[in-house]
Amino acid sequence: MAEASISMAPDQFSCPLCVGILRDPVAIPCGHSYCMECISTYWNEADYTGIYICPQCRVTFTQRPVLRRNTLLTKVAEKLKKTGLNPPGPVNNYAGPGDVPCDFCMGKKLKAMKSCLNCLASYCEKHLKPHYESATFKRHKLVDELGNLDRKVCPQHQKTLELFCRTDQMCICALCTVSEHRGHDIVSAETERSEKQKLLGVTQTGIHHKCQERTKELEDLKAAVDSLKSSAQRAMAESEKMFTEMIRSIERMRSEVTKLIGINERAAFNQAEGLMERLEQEIEDLTRREMHLKQLHSTEDHIHFLQNFNSLSAPTDDGFLPRVTVNPDFSFGAVRRAVSEIKDRLEEISRDELMKISKSVNETPVYNMENRIKEKLVRVSEVSIDTVQAPEPKSRSDFLKYFCQLRMDTNTAYRELHLSDGNRKVTRTRDIQAYPDHPERFDSFAQVLCREALSGKRYYWEIEWSGEFSTGVTYKGISRKGKGSLCLLGYNDKSWSLLCSESGYSAWHNREDKRINAAHSPRIGVYLDHTAGVLSFYSISETMTLLHRFETKFTEPLYPGFGVGTSVKICQLK
């Protein structure tokens, strides 16, 4: 009868921890049975707390129970093993890297099905049964499996977090209300969750609308890209067609010139050939007559001489054949010069038109980037800032209100520049510095930029210098590579600079300079009002003297920069 019972319910003789048939079974004081190894390992982990809990009924023992082998259960378990019966359990349901493991499985852990907020533990299907079957666990709150349950326990009091301190904006336990958070605005976690859930709903709605906006923007962008592709393909096809027609036109011109040269060559050749034949015939006739005259001259027969004298001594007729002389000025050089002139004009036209095309394409933005700030916020900003713009500073104390800390960027420094004093000082050396390769580094000129991007406000800084140097500001897109002058501050449309030397000063922008007559000063002040488009340079001594003032419209953030002759130092004014 016992055997039948065993065969019908083998799961009654399985270990709740390893979900296998009991090995060396032991019964603990509450009546539940486990493998000796499983319960020993489980309680070993609890030794540091001194509280030993039954994994099934959660009964606690203040002293670790002594484990003794249960002889009857041992025999039953061995009989089950011999019959080949195994307790049913989850198949291929082990916890993977992204799963929450069961806290009670020994060895290879199964996936947790639920987590208990009272026990602060997660359970697989097997170990979850006591929460459904035992009255002890009826009031426990089960939720879908959660990880990091230790975060739901107060780290100071080891009690469950149930309350929320609005003063400190943190979850607390009941003991916290009488200690660290005494007198604070405290509510239940459920109440605070209800309030924050309303805010979460608003945020969720906002994110949903933003997601819809971004989706619409993405669809519009994709449509624009498709339209751009079609436009580019049409432009390429039409350009190819027109260039083909131009090539055909040039080919026709080449053919006409070649034909013209050939016709004139053949005409001249034919005319010369006729003249050569006639000249050759006349030479032959003259040669024959000369021979007859020679014979007549040498004959001794007087009668023969006199009879032929009149016919042979008659003058020759030079009028029937024109005299031929070659024009030394004639050649096809004029044709070559004309063709060369056509070539030069075509190249000039092509170059000019290509520059127009390039400028038209490059300066027309494909995409317009717009700030997402709402118009009403922009209007408020305009009213609160722009309409109440402070007057431009006049005295040095006024300028110092806009002082900004600057640091030089090692990623931009020329390899012969040594940075020191917290990257506020730069010295020109002849030793190559061990800077790594970087796309923003100047590779041919002794220049360095600051890492701060200045935009939308007023800024002021001062520099001490020795040796010839330049100081100014530039957009980030300034050229950094090569020996072309476009890499120099002030020698392009992206930068503005003041060149300083012992002999004087000059202001530079886009290769245009203005000479400045002023006394030498080892300290220069720079004032930038990015919004107003003002960049001013001052010599600093006992007074401030304006050296030069640029007025323009800045369209991008600006980076302060220096061209170094000997040394440059950014002054600390505050």
Side-chain angles (χ1 to χ4, degrees), residues 64-112:
R64 181 166 178 162
V66 178
L67 301 176
R68 292 185 176 85
R69 188 178 182 188
N70 188 314
T71 307
L72 178 61
L73 284 176
T74 300
K75 291 180 179 179
V76 173
E78 289 176 352
K79 193 171 185 66
L80 277 172
K81 290 178 183 177
K82 289 179 181 179
T83 58
L85 296 174
N86 291 314
V91 179
N92 296 328
N93 204 25
Y94 293 110
D99 299 322
V100 177
C102 174
D103 291 320
F104 290 88
C105 287
M106 304 301 293
K108 194 169 185 180
K109 295 181 177 291
L110 298 174
K111 285 194 292 188

Side-chain angles (χ1 to χ4, degrees), residues 19 77 135 144 154 200 211-212 225 245 365-366 414 436 564:
V19 200
D144 291 337
C154 175
L200 191 65
C211 184
Q212 289 180 324
V225 169
E245 291 176 356
V366 179
Y414 181 60
V564 185

